[in-house]
Amino acid sequence: MEELYSKAETLALRRKHIGPSCKVFYAKDPLKIIRAQGQYMFDEKGEKYLDCINNVAHVGHSHPYVIKAATKQMELLNTNSRFLHDNLVQYAQRLTATLPEKLSVCYFVNSGSEANDLALRLARQYRGHQDVITLENAYHGHVTSLIDISPYKFNQLGKDSKKEYVHVAPSPDIYRGKYKEDHPDPASAYAEEVKKIIEETQKNGRKIAAFIAESMQSCGGQVIPPVGYFQKVAEYVRAVGGVFIADEVQVGFGRVGKHFWAFQLQGEDFVPDIVTMGKPIGNGHPMSCVVTTREIAESFGASGLEYFNTFGGNPVSCAIGLAVLDVIEKEDLQGNATRVGNYLMELLAEQKEKHPLVGDIRGVGLFVGVDLVKDKQKRTPATAEALHLIYKLKEHRILLSADGPYRNILKFKPPMCFTMEDAKHAVETLDALLTELEEATGMKSENNASTNVQCKRKTTEESSQPEGASESNGHMNGAACRQENGIYSKKRSVPSKRIRT
């Protein structure tokens, strides 16, 4: 593919014409990506990179079936949803069929931020309440209403940045949170924290409109809530007239493997009042959706204010959405997420035993986090080390990101066509880099007997770990979950200075 500009020219023009707050990955040496296929991306020199972070290209970059569906419909018609078209109703029917029965009404929009903003409007209209409970380190989008409920963002603006109608509950993190894995009932304990917030707001004459949470926190550090937490929170919130919003923008559409939606990990007895979805829904095409109950939708309509979205639910977007659903089913990508995800967790668990830098491995399906620590007992975040590894992996043509409140969590959320061979290659490379880093910084292996252990697992069709075993949890994004990097020196230490990517 012929380039219009050289990489240097592209970078210079970007600096000239694109806002300075719009960051790139690997700022020291940004990648210029000109094409992608499946789980691989290619730069202007033809170098191939294994993509371990792109949960937007859900069924794989440039999937031919999705492209064909888009071009076929684009050749016929693309218009707004005020005209009748079969694609809109067919897609709504197919999408809601993946959800619990009461979640039956769709609003199609164009991004995860739009979806979450609309979800807040629905929640506030429902009972006329205003206040929102969110979680520590949460990120729900870039528009003003969502920055206000995203501690991941508003905490960067200073101590007085939290609005009076926003209440922050502890993240249900059983590795780093207030109630850890040794607590007899962390789900109830974390839910009680939400109950305390509700009681305090009522004393102050305020009313809760909604509790919002990602079904599994992504930017917050790959946090998987303990089973039962959502049920108890929903009970407390609904008792005061609020609704439960499940944000599936990052983690939906079969990524967890066993279930189509991550909130279903909580059990069949939990059903949110509103579900938002985005990123993977269109495999890179800008589209998203809010799904809610008939009762909440009718309440929203009763305001007398028409809701119209110029591009939401257009025939091309719906054709793409239908194609994505087809590919997930035809290629058994949920099954692949379970098989490869279990295998990846198994390989990473070996690294936890081998390397003092690896404090925790947690994940479900193809949503996995590696929590790096300087001290396993104190669980001190290894921020500079994590971000050093991101740069070193890039040198080995593997793209991974680091996130979480301390930027010390390595995040695996690849396209769903990711294979066992890909997992093996990524972890073997990470293993070598961890060994190199630990030697350079003077860290000693906690298990000398396993020093020479390599990733020699068989990459058979089925992992030896039973299906669903990763759900035990082992113990790039504000707009792309910004990352920074610290490179260790030859003096066997890791400096605290970070380099932005």
Side-chain angles (χ1 to χ4, degrees):
M1 182 180 294
E2 186 175 346
E3 293 180 85
L4 184 61
Y5 305 110
S6 69
K7 179 176 174 179
E9 290 171 329
T10 300
L11 186 58
L13 287 167
R14 179 178 174 118
R15 287 169 175 165
K16 179 178 180 180
H17 295 297
I18 306 302
S21 58
C22 301
K23 304 297 182 182
V24 295
F25 287 127
Y26 312 108
K28 284 199 317 169
D29 183 25
L31 284 172
K32 184 175 183 181
I33 298 296
I34 62 169
R35 69 182 181 91
Q37 188 73 46
Q39 65 273 45
Y40 299 104
M41 305 182 84
F42 300 84
D43 68 12
E44 79 284 4
K45 297 177 182 177
E47 293 285 352
K48 181 172 74 172
Y49 293 81
L50 177 60
D51 182 0
C52 299
I53 58 176
N54 226 314
N55 59 340
V56 177
H58 190 62
V59 301
H61 293 281
S62 307
H63 196 289
Y65 185 84
V66 178
I67 293 170
K68 183 178 179 180
T71 53
K72 182 179 179 181
Q73 180 57 52
M74 199 173 290
E75 288 173 348
L76 292 174
L77 171 73
N78 200 22
T79 187
N80 66 62
S81 62
R82 282 196 169 120
F83 298 98
L84 293 178
H85 197 279
D86 288 349
N87 284 10
L88 176 65
V89 293
Q90 183 186 10
Y91 185 47
Q93 186 177 43
R94 286 275 304 276
L95 194 59
T96 55
T98 68
L99 290 157
E101 186 176 357
K102 79 169 191 173
L103 294 167
S104 60
V105 182
C106 300
Y107 295 88
F108 289 106
V109 286
N110 307 289
S111 70
S113 291
E114 250 191 289
N116 282 330
D117 179 73
L118 178 57
L120 288 183
R121 286 183 59 190
L122 290 167
R124 285 170 168 156
Q125 174 65 29
Y126 182 52
R127 298 292 188 200
H129 299 178
Q130 176 72 11
D131 289 25
V132 176
I133 301 174
T134 188
L135 293 176
E136 286 176 326
N137 311 314
Y139 175 71
H140 294 289
H142 63 81
V143 299
T144 300
S145 66
L146 302 177
I147 295 294
D148 288 348
I149 63 165
S150 297
Y152 181 87
K153 284 295 185 182
F154 71 64
N155 282 339
Q156 299 177 38
L157 303 176
K159 63 179 182 179
D160 298 323
S161 57
K162 186 176 79 67
K163 301 293 192 293
E164 62 178 2
Y165 57 82
V166 176
H167 313 280
V168 181
S171 172
D173 182 350
I174 61 174
Y175 182 71
R176 292 194 172 279
K178 185 174 182 179
Y179 307 107
K180 295 182 171 58
E181 70 274 12
D182 58 355
H183 190 282
D185 187 1
S188 295
Y190 278 116
E192 282 297 314
E193 295 290 331
V194 176
K195 186 178 181 181
K196 290 175 186 176
I197 289 173
I198 293 171
E199 291 170 347
E200 188 63 28
T201 58
Q202 287 186 306
K203 288 178 184 177
N204 295 328
R206 306 195 66 90
K207 295 181 178 180
I208 300 297
F211 173 91
I212 184 170
E214 289 182 278
S215 299
M216 301 188 295
Q217 280 190 293
S218 183
C219 291
Q222 309 294 93
V223 175
I224 305 170
V227 173
Y229 172 67
F230 281 175
Q231 288 91 326
K232 289 179 170 62
V233 168
E235 177 186 345
Y236 299 147
V237 170
R238 289 166 181 161
V240 294
V243 301
F244 192 110
I245 303 171
D247 180 344
E248 290 270 342
V249 170
Q250 293 260 17
V251 296
F253 290 87
R255 178 158 294 277
V256 301
K258 185 177 181 180
H259 302 287
F260 203 80
W261 304 104
F263 73 78
Q264 293 170 319
L265 292 169
Q266 291 283 309
E268 292 183 1
D269 59 334
F270 172 69
V271 179
D273 301 294
I274 301 172
V275 176
T276 60
M277 49 195 77
K279 294 188 187 301
I281 191 173
N283 210 54
H285 181 79
M287 58 186 293
S288 61
C289 187
V290 180
V291 183
T292 190
T293 65
R294 173 61 56 185
E295 182 182 6
I296 292 173
E298 289 181 351
S299 171
F300 188 57
S303 68
L305 191 66
E306 178 191 4
Y307 180 78
F308 172 68
N309 189 298
T310 303
F311 300 108
N314 69 73
V316 171
S317 292
C318 291
I320 290 170
L322 285 163
V324 169
L325 294 180
D326 286 343
V327 174
I328 292 171
E329 182 178 348
K330 291 177 180 178
E331 299 185 7
D332 187 27
L333 294 183
Q334 273 187 260
N336 189 66
T338 294
R339 291 186 292 272
V340 178
N342 285 351
Y343 181 63
L344 176 61
M345 288 282 287
E346 192 176 328
L347 296 178
L348 290 170
E350 291 179 355
Q351 304 310 306
K352 180 182 175 182
E353 294 301 314
K354 179 177 178 179
H355 294 287
L357 268 171
V358 180
D360 189 37
I361 305 297
R362 50 185 179 265
V364 184
L366 287 175
F367 181 84
V368 177
V370 182
D371 197 315
L372 297 184
V373 297
K374 295 179 181 179
D375 185 301
K376 285 194 176 183
Q377 295 300 316
K378 297 179 181 178
R379 303 185 179 184
T380 310
T383 300
E385 291 85 349
L387 297 162
H388 162 72
L389 287 168
I390 297 306
Y391 267 89
K392 297 299 289 185
L393 285 163
K394 171 179 171 279
E395 292 177 10
H396 289 266
R397 307 295 186 260
I398 296 172
L399 305 182
L400 202 64
S401 64
D403 218 322
Y406 305 103
R407 301 293 195 275
N408 70 308
I409 314 295
L410 304 184
K411 299 171 62 173
F412 286 86
K413 47 186 182 67
M416 296 274 280
C417 52
F418 202 70
T419 68
M420 289 185 179
E421 289 78 11
D422 296 327
K424 182 175 184 285
H425 172 57
V427 177
E428 284 184 337
T429 306
L430 178 61
D431 179 22
L433 293 173
L434 284 166
T435 299
E436 177 185 290
L437 179 56
E438 287 163 354
E439 289 175 353
T441 56
M443 298 183 78
K444 293 182 179 180
S445 175
E446 291 185 346
N447 186 352
N448 293 329
S450 65
T451 300
N452 295 319
V453 172
Q454 300 295 325
C455 299
K456 295 180 179 178
R457 298 282 181 191
K458 295 178 182 178
T459 54
T460 57
E461 182 64 18
E462 291 288 340
S463 169
S464 60
Q465 187 172 350
E467 184 168 330
S470 65
E471 293 183 27
S472 64
N473 303 349
H475 342 276
M476 164 211 265
N477 266 303
C481 290
R482 189 171 65 236
Q483 302 148 14
E484 303 169 324
N485 184 49
I487 306 299
Y488 71 84
S489 70
K490 294 181 180 179
K491 296 181 181 180
R492 304 171 73 86
S493 65
V494 181
S496 59
K497 182 179 179 181
R498 303 177 189 172
I499 302 172
R500 294 186 182 278
T501 70

